[in-house]
Amino acid sequence: MNKSKCKVGSNLRVLLEAINEVPYGTAFIEDGNNKLVGIVTDGDFRRLLLNGKGLEDLLLQEDLGDFVSAKEGENFDELLKKTNNKINIIPIVNSSNELIDYFEFKHKTKFTPVAEPTLENKELEYLLDAFSSTWISSRGKYIDRFEEEFSEFCNVKHGVATSNGTVAIHLALVALGIGPGDEVIVPDLTFAATINAVLYANATPVIVDIDPITWTIFPEEIEKAITSKTKAIIPVHVYGQACEMDKIMDIAQKHNLKVIEDCAEAHGAEFKGQRVGSFGDIATFSFFANKIITTGEGGMCVTNSKELDTTMRKLRDHGMSKEKRYWHDDIGFNYRMTNLQAAIGCAQLEKIEWILDRNDQIEKDYIKHLDHLNLFQWQKTYRQNRKVVWLMSCTTDKREQVMARLTSNNIDVRPFFYCLSEMPVYSKYLFSNKNALIISKIGLNLPTVKDIDYKRIASILSDL
Ligand SMILES: Cc1ncc(COP(=O)(O)O)c(C=O)c1O
């Protein structure tokens, strides 16, 4: 510590050597009587140079600003409070104001994840209730309740809970009888689960382009991609935006196609006043931890058809006959959700409107604080639709710079999905992808979590 002491009246070269001697980049300044009269950090030193001082100039009392110090004997909490979340070094002096020690605290900027579950209210209570009931596998009151309440939320009659959103799509495809030789139309901009489920069913995916404005599947392209083998369309309400379901349902009716809505990213979104999930033959949801509501891992198929509901329940449970235990009519799967997951889901569902409103407010706050930077084109909202905010989705020509800046400041951001058609495992299924290729490369998702420091984000990006 002695090496980092420096006297008023020394020249700046000596001061610089003192600052340079210690890893914490700070010199303690004493007067002729060894009393502490100031501190100079490497930042303060830069400012002295910028103010016109040279290395041979002397450090004067008036060059020293206010500083925070502590008295011998102050405890950790008092010292921590004095750092005020920004000061790293606090000198400690004795009763004669002589430096005897210093307190060092490194402030880390908090990591801001791109999404996080809100589990504060009833989640633990219901989870413990399910746990104590000993119904911890796939039977129990929370399963029935979650299926009932979630399908009601979607304005659909039946819900079949599954172990995740990917198997929900697969279950829907199999229940609709889609298999080898059948073509299924999927959008190019989606998470891989959509196309993987088609491949699990041994059907052939056909990748079509998206609308450049909504980023959802382009109805005109669906129509062009239809062949005699086409059996189904999977519109994906990507990033909270409802697909143009009126046009899609008209096309499906005209060509006698099944529709499975992939609603994994759009719980509560509406198209012309109607909830997503209630248009197609079956709709699927995901309750992964980053989704609008979560069960940890989890998913659900919803449908208005009693017959499809029965088929999916059976297929979800190994294809076992409901009447004759251990008798299997079909080769089914174990795609069941546990009562523990459903317990969390019930609690999440109680606050889904609150989550959606909070996310809407987050979107407004981003626009308020970042719009003036002219860096972002925000996801569009259509008046007759209810877009839900899952992540804060936008496009920007400076995506790589924005991502690098935010990531290095401990703020998690996500680029849009790669186009399915760009990946060698899927590229052979391409029908059209002109718009998707562009949007996928400029699309970006910003965090939608509590306590976002919008002003800090704005200042981090201000000179881009
Ligand atoms: C569009 C889309 N479909 C399907 C899934 C699959 O859901 P899960 O992760 O629950 O299997 C996801 C999410 O991850 C998704 O974003």
Side-chain angles (χ1 to χ4, degrees), residues 15 112 194 318 331 342:
L15 175 64
T112 305
T194 317
H318 295 286
I331 300 168

Side-chain angles (χ1 to χ4, degrees), residues 27-162:
F28 301 107
I29 316 299
E30 296 176 330
D31 64 12
N33 299 319
N34 298 335
K35 311 261 184 231
L36 185 75
V37 289
I39 64 172
V40 177
T41 64
D42 40 14
D44 297 329
F45 191 85
R46 271 199 305 277
R47 280 182 283 279
L48 286 173
L49 295 184
L50 286 172
N51 286 341
K53 286 235 176 204
L55 285 183
E56 304 311 324
D57 288 334
L58 303 185
L59 176 71
L60 307 175
Q61 181 77 46
E62 67 229 39
D63 294 327
L64 302 172
D66 293 338
F67 69 106
V68 176
S69 66
K71 289 267 182 280
E72 188 175 14
E74 284 189 40
N75 66 26
F76 179 81
D77 286 344
E78 289 165 326
L79 291 166
L80 195 60
K81 207 163 155 204
K82 283 197 166 165
T83 68
N84 196 20
N85 278 326
K86 37 185 197 260
I87 300 172
N88 291 331
I89 299 280
I90 297 190
I92 301 173
V93 293
N94 62 17
S95 53
S96 312
N97 228 13
E98 290 159 350
L99 182 71
I100 51 164
D101 204 351
Y102 67 90
F103 176 72
E104 183 181 16
F105 193 80
K106 284 211 172 69
H107 297 278
K108 284 210 172 104
T109 43
K110 207 177 102 225
F111 176 66
T112 305
V114 78
E116 68 191 351
T118 350
L119 301 170
E120 281 103 7
N121 299 335
K122 296 267 181 69
E123 283 75 359
L124 186 60
E125 182 189 324
Y126 292 176
L127 180 62
L128 288 177
D129 183 43
F131 180 84
S132 332
S133 75
T134 74
W135 292 94
I136 58 170
S137 285
S138 48
R139 284 217 242 154
K141 67 176 183 188
Y142 288 106
I143 290 280
D144 300 338
R145 178 171 154 189
F146 188 43
E147 290 182 335
E148 241 166 66
E149 292 180 357
F150 188 75
S151 51
E152 197 178 308
F153 170 80
C154 300
N155 284 327
V156 177
K157 288 187 191 144
H158 312 282
V160 181
T162 58

Side-chain angles (χ1 to χ4, degrees), residues 357-369 378-381 387-393 447-448 452 454:
D357 288 348
R358 182 203 65 176
N359 288 4
D360 282 346
Q361 186 57 47
I362 289 176
E363 180 179 67
K364 288 194 187 105
D365 288 340
Y366 268 114
I367 295 173
K368 181 170 146 201
H369 290 97
W378 309 111
Q379 187 182 29
K380 300 259 183 324
T381 308
K387 172 177 83 64
V388 291
V389 179
W390 170 41
L391 303 171
M392 180 64 195
S393 303
T448 45
I452 297 169
Y454 302 100

Side-chain angles (χ1 to χ4, degrees), residues 357-417:
D357 288 348
R358 182 203 65 176
N359 288 4
D360 282 346
Q361 186 57 47
I362 289 176
E363 180 179 67
K364 288 194 187 105
D365 288 340
Y366 268 114
I367 295 173
K368 181 170 146 201
H369 290 97
L370 271 63
D371 204 36
H372 70 278
L373 300 175
N374 291 325
L375 269 177
F376 301 105
Q377 296 77 49
W378 309 111
Q379 187 182 29
K380 300 259 183 324
T381 308
Y382 299 90
R383 219 180 309 144
Q384 59 309 32
N385 296 348
R386 180 182 188 192
K387 172 177 83 64
V388 291
V389 179
W390 170 41
L391 303 171
M392 180 64 195
S393 303
C394 57
T395 56
T396 169
D397 293 336
K398 297 196 171 156
R399 186 173 78 171
E400 302 319 310
Q401 292 103 303
V402 171
M403 282 175 52
R405 282 280 178 93
L406 294 179
T407 311
S408 65
N409 279 281
N410 243 352
I411 299 165
D412 198 11
V413 285
R414 298 286 160 87
F416 275 15
F417 301 121

Side-chain angles (χ1 to χ4, degrees), residues 156 170 281:
V156 177
H170 182 222
D281 297 274

Side-chain angles (χ1 to χ4, degrees), residues 139 317 320-328:
R139 284 217 242 154
D317 194 14
M320 191 165 21
S321 162
K322 220 177 150 201
E323 290 76 36
K324 210 163 145 186
R325 186 167 274 265
Y326 303 129
W327 182 265
H328 299 261

Side-chain angles (χ1 to χ4, degrees), residues 163-167 169 190-194 236-238 262-265 284-288 290-291 297-299 390 417:
S163 25
N164 59 61
T166 310
V167 300
I169 307 172
T190 181
F191 182 59
T194 317
V236 180
H237 307 296
V238 75
D262 182 344
C263 311
E265 304 172 6
T284 64
F285 287 83
S286 164
F287 305 115
F288 185 69
N290 67 5
K291 295 298 188 292
E297 294 277 357
W390 170 41
F417 301 121

